[in-house]
């Protein structure tokens, strides 16, 4: 996925000290640490009056994300996901309860989205090159149909009694990339909050979750990128205790006859999903939002909005191929018609 969520930590200045005590309590500050995790750029921000606590919490959040990456990485030869894939068509694999539960949740989202979100997408053949170049044509239809022959979330066999995962066909593979960053952000946030960080923001390369308040007591301002103008903003909203997750098809793509084809593949057809340039999901669960942005992208504007409108507590804003902004029921955005504010921090593309 590619994200263009821009996180604007726009502050109106430090809060004034209250009272007339000779030694006022330390004022909260925002502490930030960045790292390359899960193949992406992560930024952890903790708001606290205690610098020692803030740095401990930032380190703990980073280590938790690293742990999840090692456990569930598609690329790490020692991960449990790699073992499941290696033994596809051979035998079931016993996994940790955490991994079993995460896979089980992905299958529920697959059922909810009628397969638009599908972790077995990794079973597909790589027949496209998303090099931002003009291509003469799409692959022929037989090649495309053949590329998705092993994809199918319904094929994944889970046995809760033995805590095993089994892929029944050789060549099948699962990849949790469509949900893993959101899961990592969620677990890191839960840990930091439990340690006493009452406000903060974690940005996993476009998977953003913020809670509490900024040091001056204001909410967190999240800006949504404009696909037509890289590094600029189309709209923004102020949130707290919410996830804002964006996927786009304008960082990894190719064109045929002037039409964009992004890297998000429809698992039913094998063709790149079309109709949308950007999908932003807003909801309290960053893991769910991370999966839903892919699902909506595959479903397209009409069916994607219909799905979100059925879900309680979930909103979305879409930018279609024509540049039109669409929103779900009750969604309110602030339009932004110029370049990104100087105080905004630019996120890096999601893989």
């Amino acid at each position: 996925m590619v994200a263009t969520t821009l996180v604007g930590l726009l502050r109106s200045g430090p809060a004034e000290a209250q009272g007339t005590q000779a030694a006022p309590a330390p004022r909260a500050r925002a502490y930030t640490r960045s790292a390359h995790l899960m193949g992406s750029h992560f930024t952890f921000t903790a708001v606290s009056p205690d610098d020692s606590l803030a740095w401990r919490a930032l380190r703990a959040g980073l280590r938790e994300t690293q742990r999840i990456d090692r456990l569930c990485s598609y690329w790490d030869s020692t991960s449990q996901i790699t073992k499941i894939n290696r033994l596809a068509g051979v035998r079931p694999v016993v996994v940790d309860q955490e991994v079993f539960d995460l896979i089980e949740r992905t299958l529920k989202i697959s059922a909810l989205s009628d397969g638009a979100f599908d972790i077995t997408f990794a079973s597909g053949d790589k027949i496209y090159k998303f090099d931002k170049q003009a291509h003469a044509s799409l692959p022929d239809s037989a090649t495309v149909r053949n590329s998705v022959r092993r994809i199918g979330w319904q094929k994944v066999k889970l046995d809760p009694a033995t805590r095993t995962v089994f892929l029944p066909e050789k060549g099948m593979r699962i990849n949790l990339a469509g949900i893993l960053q959101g899961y990592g952000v969620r677990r890191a946030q839960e840990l930091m909050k439990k340690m006493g960080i009452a406000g903060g923001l974690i940005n996993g390369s476009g998977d953003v979750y913020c809670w509490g308040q900024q040091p001056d007591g204001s909410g967190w301002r999240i800006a949504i990128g404009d696909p037509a103008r890289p590094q600029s903003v189309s709209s923004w909203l102020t949130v707290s205790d919410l996830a804002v997750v964006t996927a786009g098809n304008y960082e990894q793509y190719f064109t045929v006859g002037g039409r964009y084809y992004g890297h998000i593949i429809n698992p039913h057809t094998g063709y790149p999903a079309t109709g949308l340039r950007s999908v932003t999901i807003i909801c309290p669960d960053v893991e769910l939002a991370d999966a839903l942005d892919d699902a909506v992208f595959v479903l397209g504007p009409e069916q994607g909005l219909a799905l979100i409108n059925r879900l309680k507590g979930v909103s979305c804003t879409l930018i279609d191929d024509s540049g039109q902004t669409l929103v779900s029921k009750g969604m309110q955005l602030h339009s932004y018609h110029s370049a990104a504010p100087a105080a905004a921090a630019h996120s890096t593309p999601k893989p």
Side-chain angles (χ1 to χ4, degrees):
M1 290 189 296
V2 175
T4 55
T5 301
L6 309 171
V7 182
L9 310 183
L10 307 183
R11 302 181 177 89
S12 58
E16 295 296 328
Q18 301 295 317
T20 57
Q21 296 179 1
R27 288 182 291 190
R29 291 175 50 201
Y31 300 83
T32 299
R33 183 167 180 174
S34 297
H36 189 76
L37 303 164
M38 299 182 176
S40 300
H41 182 77
F42 273 66
T43 301
F44 302 80
T45 299
V47 176
S48 175
D50 183 337
D51 62 346
S52 177
L53 171 62
W55 290 119
R56 287 199 309 273
L58 291 171
R59 288 193 295 269
L62 191 154
R63 287 195 300 267
E64 176 68 356
T65 309
Q66 288 174 324
R67 181 191 69 81
I68 291 168
D69 191 20
R70 288 194 298 269
L71 189 66
C72 298
S73 171
Y74 180 77
W75 304 106
D76 189 329
S77 62
T78 66
S79 80
Q80 295 189 11
I81 299 304
T82 299
K83 187 173 182 180
I84 293 168
N85 292 339
R86 189 183 302 127
L87 292 174
V90 179
R91 62 177 174 84
V93 175
V94 178
V95 297
D96 292 355
Q97 189 66 53
E98 176 182 12
V99 175
F100 186 94
D101 292 343
L102 179 57
I103 293 174
E104 187 175 45
R105 291 196 298 274
T106 71
L107 300 184
K108 290 178 179 178
I109 296 171
S110 294
L112 176 71
S113 65
D114 194 25
F117 177 83
D118 190 334
I119 60 171
T120 69
F121 78 90
S123 306
D125 298 330
K126 292 180 172 58
I127 59 174
Y128 302 105
K129 186 176 182 181
F130 301 101
D131 55 5
K132 301 184 181 181
Q133 302 298 313
H135 295 188
S137 64
L138 293 169
D140 66 84
S141 59
T143 299
V144 175
R145 285 196 306 271
N146 190 56
S147 73
V148 295
R149 67 191 186 283
R150 288 187 296 264
I151 294 176
W153 63 273
Q154 303 96 327
K155 300 177 185 179
V156 180
K157 307 299 182 185
L158 301 182
D159 187 342
T162 57
R163 210 175 64 240
T164 57
V165 182
F166 181 47
L167 305 179
E169 299 177 21
K170 287 191 174 182
M172 278 193 73
R173 295 181 296 270
I174 59 174
N175 186 340
L176 301 182
I179 200 170
L180 195 60
Q181 287 184 181
Y183 178 58
V185 169
R186 179 169 72 80
R187 288 297 299 260
Q189 185 273 336
E190 290 171 347
L191 180 59
M192 291 171 64
K193 189 173 182 179
K194 186 176 181 180
M195 291 179 68
I197 301 301
L201 183 148
I202 303 175
N203 181 2
S205 188
D207 287 4
V208 178
Y209 185 84
C210 52
W211 71 102
Q213 298 174 329
Q214 296 192 62
D216 64 0
S218 64
W220 301 92
R221 180 172 291 187
I222 310 298
I224 299 169
D226 184 349
R229 295 180 295 172
Q231 305 303 323
S232 66
V233 170
S234 65
S235 55
W236 59 272
L237 65 162
T238 301
V239 297
S240 184
D241 301 305
L242 282 175
V244 181
V245 175
T246 298
N249 72 349
Y250 45 93
E251 292 287 348
Q252 299 181 57
Y253 66 89
F254 63 88
T255 63
V256 175
R259 185 176 187 182
Y260 279 80
Y261 292 91
H263 72 293
I264 299 174
I265 303 297
N266 185 327
H268 297 306
T269 67
Y271 287 99
T274 57
L276 291 168
R277 300 296 307 281
S278 173
V279 172
T280 299
I281 305 292
I282 301 97
C283 76
D285 186 340
V286 64
E287 176 190 313
L288 175 63
D290 194 15
L292 286 176
D293 64 357
D294 271 358
V296 171
F297 227 106
V298 169
L299 290 170
E302 185 175 341
Q303 293 184 41
L305 278 176
L307 171 64
I308 298 303
N309 285 333
R310 294 198 307 267
L311 302 179
K312 185 177 180 180
V314 181
S315 301
C316 75
T317 176
L318 318 176
I319 300 176
D320 67 15
D321 283 345
S322 69
Q324 181 181 8
T325 297
L326 310 170
V327 297
S328 58
K329 293 178 181 176
M331 178 70 191
Q332 293 185 342
L333 288 173
H334 303 282
S335 295
Y336 201 97
H337 299 293
S338 60
H346 291 233
S347 71
T348 53
K350 286 162 61 175

